[in-house]
Amino acid sequence: MREINVEDITRTVEKLCIESNYYLPQDVKKALEDAVDKEESPLAKDILEDILKNQEIARTKEVPICQDTGLAVIFLELGQEVRLVGGDLNSAIDEGVRRGYKNGYLRKSAVDDPFMVRKNTGDNTPAIIHTTIVPGDKIKLIIAPKGGGSENMSALCMLKPSDGEAGIKKCVIDAVDRAGSNPCPPIIVGVGIGGTIEKTTLIAKQALLREVGQHHPNPLVAKMEKELLEEINNLGIGPQGFGGRTTALAVNIETFPAHIASMPVAINIQCHVARHKEAII
């Protein structure tokens, strides 16, 4: 049994909150650079180049890539041979978010009541925490700040199994088409298929963490990812909604076994900054 003090978790969360909001992942940067080369619209090409300039300014001056620094979504893998000491796990994560958003000068976007008073909590807590118990004596933390513009474009389709692949594709394409420019394209589209209503929405969000350009290991699912990406880019929405071939950089699908009577499909859209950062303790 390995002991880990929760203060180590707090310090790690603080660091990841700042870094995830300052630095664009390299896979996303490369996908944007590739999109510039492929884009046919001069305006769309200019917008993509501006996005790349923006991320470079954020990186060199250590400022947020986007003013919406999101709610702090945390994916925590806790080794079953770890014994936590020094305090409460969730409180330690919230303290890390609190420090990160204060010391990184990140916008606080959390309100304490979702539909009545809506008073800002002032420190971007509480975090959205997803905890999984895994083998081993380590802790893996992934922080994926999620902005409101892209999160608001999420969608859920409770399909019947008979709707098949065509029904899944229609659900995804319709969601992206309705979203239009709202999620700040070019986007990454996370798709969850299977499970239950809560499981499919969770794996749709987890799909956003996959490296851009890396396809699902199942060749049939990978084929659907490629076909959906092509159809989405044929919509003509383009960067920031000004038209062009680059509406999405990737479509990532994750699946889970489902009930014999169900085929839920969830879509979680991420804007072009696609922020996430991970660390292992």
Side-chain angles (χ1 to χ4, degrees):
M1 185 67 70
R2 177 182 174 222
E3 285 192 354
I4 295 178
N5 194 297
V6 296
E7 177 60 26
D8 292 338
I9 295 172
T10 295
R11 285 194 294 266
T12 302
V13 170
E14 176 186 358
K15 180 174 180 285
L16 293 179
C17 282
I18 295 170
E19 290 182 353
S20 62
N21 275 293
Y22 286 5
Y23 310 125
L24 188 71
Q26 282 301 308
D27 59 309
V28 182
K29 180 174 179 286
K30 184 180 184 307
L32 288 166
E33 290 169 342
D34 290 344
V36 171
D37 294 335
K38 296 174 184 175
E39 182 55 64
E40 299 164 359
S41 162
L43 177 57
K45 192 182 286 282
D46 285 346
I47 293 169
L48 290 169
E49 288 173 345
D50 284 343
I51 289 171
L52 286 164
K53 289 175 187 175
N54 176 74
Q55 68 82 32
E56 183 63 16
I57 292 169
R59 185 184 68 81
T60 56
K61 295 188 177 296
E62 297 191 329
V63 294
I65 302 171
C66 176
Q67 81 280 0
D68 184 352
T69 52
L71 290 182
V73 179
I74 316 285
F75 293 94
L76 170 69
E77 294 182 8
L78 178 62
Q80 61 188 11
E81 296 174 34
V82 170
R83 179 172 178 265
L84 297 172
V85 297
D88 174 70
L89 172 61
N90 288 351
S91 297
I93 291 173
D94 277 345
E95 179 59 23
V97 171
R98 189 174 292 114
R99 293 182 195 175
Y101 274 73
K102 177 183 177 182
N103 297 332
Y105 301 97
L106 307 176
R107 194 183 82 183
K108 289 81 174 175
S109 301
V111 293
D112 58 4
D113 182 280
F115 72 99
M116 292 185 289
V117 179
R118 291 185 66 84
K119 180 183 177 183
N120 198 298
T121 63
D123 57 11
N124 220 53
T125 68
I128 312 298
I129 305 171
H130 303 288
T131 303
T132 307
I133 307 298
V134 298
D137 64 353
K138 293 179 174 60
I139 294 174
K140 182 177 180 180
L141 283 159
I142 302 175
I143 295 188
K146 196 62 163 67
S150 60
E151 188 71 1
N152 288 349
M153 296 299 105
S154 303
L156 174 71
C157 300
M158 298 304 292
L159 302 179
K160 302 183 294 295
S162 59
D163 291 322
E165 187 175 325
I168 295 170
K169 286 183 174 180
K170 185 177 187 305
C171 173
V172 176
I173 296 297
D174 287 353
V176 174
D177 199 19
R178 284 195 305 271
S181 65
N182 289 303
C184 293
I187 56 177
I188 296 173
V189 184
V191 180
I193 306 171
T196 52
I197 188 170
E198 80 279 8
K199 183 66 176 179
T200 197
T201 53
L202 177 59
I203 63 175
K205 180 155 287 178
Q206 288 175 309
L208 297 173
L209 304 176
R210 191 197 306 163
E211 186 174 316
V212 173
Q214 182 183 76
H215 289 289
H216 195 282
N218 183 320
L220 295 177
V221 178
K223 178 174 177 285
M224 186 187 290
E225 289 175 338
K226 294 171 186 175
E227 290 171 350
L228 278 169
L229 180 61
E230 183 176 357
E231 290 186 46
I232 286 169
N233 284 331
N234 284 337
L235 291 173
I237 296 168
Q240 300 299 298
F242 286 102
R245 292 280 301 163
T246 318
T247 298
L249 301 174
V251 175
N252 296 342
I253 299 173
E254 294 295 335
T255 66
F256 195 84
H259 190 281
I260 56 173
S262 302
M263 193 171 69
V265 178
I267 298 96
N268 199 275
I269 294 174
Q270 179 62 290
C271 63
H272 60 267
V273 295
R275 298 162 294 191
H276 59 271
K277 194 78 174 175
E278 69 177 63
I280 295 175
I281 301 173

